[in-house]
């Protein structure tokens, strides 16, 4: 019990240390530049307190429960022994198709960790508020989760096959650029943002473990050269799925009311200018 | 006003629901695919309780503290009308929140190892350390720069897609000239810079600015800061790899 309490204490202290620079910048500018006190200061400070305690408990829980088992799973699933158990004993080398459990795990863990990602929840709440409910919190979260899942699955496929990362990333960029010109203008900035918010507290450690585990066990891969890159996949594909989600929603709304033109189309309607 | 305990109980149920997919995925793979019992079921249960409690408190504090502060600051800067101070704040926020980011420290250390193995720097502790801290500074600077650029975009109303496309073109062109060892790290560094506390703050700041400046639409102009913050480190890290 005592060790548990001291663990909680030390992780909250660590979170506090992360927050101090941010708080110093905010309050420094507030007092020296803006020179006006923050409205509801007590409430805001209490809010910061909740954020620190919450993030601390969240991280401690992840370290206690999720990360050990997730990392263990990643290493067990990528173990050649496990991979061979399903195929012929004669087959000495493992083909890329034999990693199907790895791909499924990558997809499932990418989607499920993204749903629990606190910063994505924050952005989805803000987007819902700003769009006056037009963008649903769950719609956005599921679209982003699907993007991360596809991205990480492709990323593991890349590690297994050893294809160069930039081909995938550049093709992804091309898709994003093309979609940008056809997606409803209102969604574009939010879609770009959703690439960056997906990869934080929950997803990164598990995904990194999966990438390193794969790069260590797949013959011919170096963990240092090939272990990286999954995060890049996880931040590119949500852009595509979020725009896709908006395009599908827009298309279906248009089919129902063919004469109704979206008001947001008027601004920024000339992408070349 | 709802009863606070009732509200907390309700949002705890929400957090549990957010966590459910992970629990199901882990259970499926552990029992059905790997066919193994759970190691330390007690620790696991305790951990899940912590995660649920933590997520609940975090979201509660988000709406009480982080969102209002971002909004208030944005309004205050818009009223003050000093572009210089707004941009200095933007830079400080981007640089300050990134330089101490634990994920970045870890990635920088690994990157130094890669560089040493690839023969880009001497394989000594000192060389690795200076490479890693240099990389950290570069990434932190690039995030500060990105937030400044993003805030300028909100002020001027520049179209975001043009800027992002230019960024992509830079990334693609530099990919062909940067040393092979740095590319994976550069691509990843875009993702690790945006932490759980920075994202809500920066989002609230952008949306707050766009809603308090006349002629800006919070949906069209308010978002996008995070996008810059995850694109610009890629460019800066590849440049770092090319120059060193």
């Amino acid at each position: 019990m005592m060790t548990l309490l001291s663990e909680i204490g030390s992780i909250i202290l660590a979170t506090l240390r992360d927050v101090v620079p941010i708080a110093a910048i905010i309050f420094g500018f507030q007092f020296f530049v803006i020179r006006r006190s923050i409205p509801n200061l007590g409430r805001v400070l209490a809010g910061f307190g909740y954020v620190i305690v919450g993030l601390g408990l969240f991280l401690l829980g992840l370290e206690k429960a999720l990360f050990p088992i997730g990392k263990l799973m990643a290493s067990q699933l990528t173990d050649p022994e496990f991979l061979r158990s399903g195929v012929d004993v004669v087959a000495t080398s493992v083909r890329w198709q034999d990693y199907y459990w790895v791909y499924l795990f990558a997809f499932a863990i990418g989607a499920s960790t993204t749903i629990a990602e606190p910063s994505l929840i924050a952005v989805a709440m803000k987007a819902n508020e700003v769009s006056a409910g037009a963008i649903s919190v769950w719609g956005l979260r599921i679209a982003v989760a699907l993007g991360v899942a596809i991205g990480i699955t492709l990323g593991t496929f890349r590690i297994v096959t050893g294809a160069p990362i930039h081909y995938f990333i550049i093709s992804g960029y091309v898709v994003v650029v093309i979609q940008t010109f056809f997606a409803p203008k209102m969604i574009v900035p939010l879609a770009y943002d959703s690439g960056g918010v997906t990869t934080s507290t929950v997803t990164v450690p598990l995904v990194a473990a999966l990438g390193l585990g794969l790069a260590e066990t797949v013959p011919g891969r170096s963990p240092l050269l090939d272990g990286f890159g999954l995060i890049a996949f996880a931040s590119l594909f949500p852009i595509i799925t979020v725009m896709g989600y908006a395009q599908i929603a827009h298309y279906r709304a248009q089919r129902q009311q063919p004469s109704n033109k979206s008001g947001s189309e008027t601004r920024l309607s000339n992408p070349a200018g | 006003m709802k009863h606070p305990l009732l509200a907390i109980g309700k949002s705890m149920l929400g957090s549990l629901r957010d966590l459910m997919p992970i629990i199901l995925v882990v259970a499926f793979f552990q029992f059905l695919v790997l066919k193994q019992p759970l190691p330390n079921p007690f620790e696991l249960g305790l951990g899940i309780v912590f995660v649920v409690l933590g997520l609940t408190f975090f979201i509660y504090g988000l709406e009480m503290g982080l969102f209002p502060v971002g909004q208030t600051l944005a309004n205050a800067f818009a009223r003050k009308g000093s572009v210089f101070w707004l941009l200095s704040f933007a830079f400080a926020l981007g640089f300050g929140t990134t330089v101490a980011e634990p994920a970045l420290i870890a990635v920088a250390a690994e990157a130094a190892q890669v560089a040493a193995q690839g023969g880009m720097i001497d394989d000594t502790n000192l060389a690795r350390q200076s490479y890693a801290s240099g990389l950290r500074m570069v990434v932190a600077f690039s995030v500060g720069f990105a937030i400044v650029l993003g805030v300028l975009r909100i002020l001027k109303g520049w179209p975001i897609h043009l800027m992002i496309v230019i960024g992509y073109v830079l990334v693609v062109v530099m990919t062909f000239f940067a040393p092979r060892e740095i590319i994976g790290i550069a691509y990843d560094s875009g993702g690790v810079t945006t932490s759980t506390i920075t994202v809500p703050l920066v989002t609230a700041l952008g949306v707050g600015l766009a809603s308090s400046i006349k002629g800006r639409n919070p949906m069209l102009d308010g978002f996008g800061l995070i996008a810059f913050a995850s694109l610009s480190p890629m460019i800066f890290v590849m440049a770092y790899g090319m120059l060193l």
Side-chain angles (χ1 to χ4, degrees), chain B:
Chain B
M1 271 306 264
K2 275 186 293 186
H3 193 278
L5 272 181
L6 198 77
I8 288 220
K10 219 181 137 194
S11 57
M12 259 166 75
L13 272 181
S15 305
L16 190 63
R17 189 191 49 202
D18 293 339
L19 208 62
M20 227 2 133
I22 304 187
I23 297 174
L24 292 178
V25 167
V26 166
F28 172 80
F29 275 90
Q30 191 73 1
F31 296 131
L32 296 178
V33 179
L34 294 165
K35 301 195 176 79
Q36 268 160 14
L38 285 176
N40 302 321
F42 175 73
E43 288 255 296
L44 201 68
L46 194 70
I48 289 172
V49 171
F50 280 159
V51 172
V52 169
L53 274 177
L55 199 55
T56 309
F57 280 135
F58 176 80
I59 290 170
Y60 199 68
L62 199 69
E63 291 186 274
M64 246 170 99
L66 287 186
F67 278 164
V69 156
Q71 193 93 30
T72 318
L73 273 169
N75 290 342
F77 275 119
R79 219 174 313 124
K80 196 173 162 62
S82 159
V83 175
F84 170 76
W85 282 115
L86 174 59
L87 294 184
S88 346
F89 174 74
F91 185 82
L93 193 66
F95 186 88
T97 56
T98 309
V99 77
E101 173 73 30
L104 175 63
I105 296 174
V107 166
E110 282 174 73
Q113 228 176 323
V114 177
Q117 279 199 349
M120 289 153 63
I121 54 170
D122 294 336
D123 199 357
T124 61
N125 256 337
L126 194 73
R128 276 202 300 265
Q129 258 170 29
S130 81
Y131 185 87
S133 68
L135 191 65
R136 255 176 77 191
M137 286 299 148
V138 165
V139 173
F141 179 84
S142 71
V143 175
F145 170 81
I147 307 279
V148 167
L149 198 66
V151 165
L152 259 178
R153 176 190 85 84
I154 297 175
L155 296 181
K156 305 276 183 200
W158 292 332
I160 185 171
H161 52 269
L162 271 183
M163 302 175 72
I164 294 286
V165 169
I166 292 172
Y168 282 173
V169 169
L170 271 176
V171 170
V172 170
V173 169
M174 288 175 84
T175 298
F176 292 103
F177 297 102
R180 191 177 171 264
E181 290 81 9
I182 201 106
I183 291 174
I185 297 157
Y187 283 0
D188 269 5
S189 69
V192 297
T193 49
T194 42
S195 82
T196 313
I197 295 169
T198 325
V199 166
L201 256 180
V202 166
T203 307
L205 179 76
V207 168
L209 271 179
S211 25
S212 45
I213 296 171
K214 235 182 126 190
R216 295 287 168 273
N217 175 334
M219 201 63 213
L220 280 172
D221 304 298
F223 291 95
L225 288 179
I226 310 280
F228 287 126
S230 33
L231 187 57
S232 99
M234 296 167 115
I235 298 168
F236 278 77
V237 169
M238 281 197 273
Y240 182 70
M242 280 159 72
L243 292 177
L244 238 78

Side-chain angles (χ1 to χ4, degrees), chain A residues 159-184:
Chain A
I159 296 179
V160 169
T161 55
I165 182 170
H166 51 271
Y167 292 159
F168 290 85
I169 298 290
I170 292 171
S171 326
Y173 282 172
V174 171
V175 175
V176 168
V177 170
I178 293 171
Q179 265 184 309
T180 298
F181 292 103
F182 295 102

Side-chain angles (χ1 to χ4, degrees), chain A residues 85-258:
Chain A
S85 66
V87 295
D88 261 330
V89 200
V90 203
T92 42
S93 65
V94 190
R95 295 161 308 159
W96 68 263
Q97 296 95 322
D98 299 330
Y99 285 88
Y100 51 90
W101 280 124
V102 173
Y103 305 139
L104 191 66
F105 180 71
F107 190 90
I109 207 79
S112 60
T113 52
T114 306
I115 291 289
E117 197 66 80
S119 44
L120 176 60
I121 300 178
V123 168
M125 280 161 57
K126 204 74 192 170
N128 179 263
E129 181 199 314
V130 171
S131 68
I135 292 164
S136 85
V137 173
W138 275 98
L140 184 67
R141 283 170 70 187
I142 289 172
V144 173
L146 194 66
V148 173
I150 296 172
I152 294 180
T153 311
L154 264 178
T156 50
F157 170 76
R158 181 196 79 83
I159 296 179
V160 169
T161 55
I165 182 170
H166 51 271
Y167 292 159
F168 290 85
I169 298 290
I170 292 171
S171 326
Y173 282 172
V174 171
V175 175
V176 168
V177 170
I178 293 171
Q179 265 184 309
T180 298
F181 292 103
F182 295 102
K185 294 292 165 265
M186 198 181 82
I187 200 79
V188 171
L190 181 65
Y192 288 161
D193 264 4
S194 63
V197 299
T198 50
T199 45
S200 55
T201 338
V202 199
T203 319
V204 169
L206 282 180
V207 165
L210 186 65
L212 286 176
L214 263 181
E216 262 164 30
T217 50
V218 176
R221 300 288 166 278
S222 124
L224 285 174
L225 281 181
D226 300 297
F228 290 101
L230 279 184
I231 309 208
F233 278 82
S235 24
L236 177 58
F237 284 81
I239 306 181
I240 297 174
T241 51
V242 168
M243 283 201 273
Y245 159 76
Q247 279 174 298
I248 292 169
H250 187 74
Y251 176 73
R252 285 174 52 177
Q254 254 186 350
R255 271 185 44 155
Q256 273 162 10
Q257 294 165 289

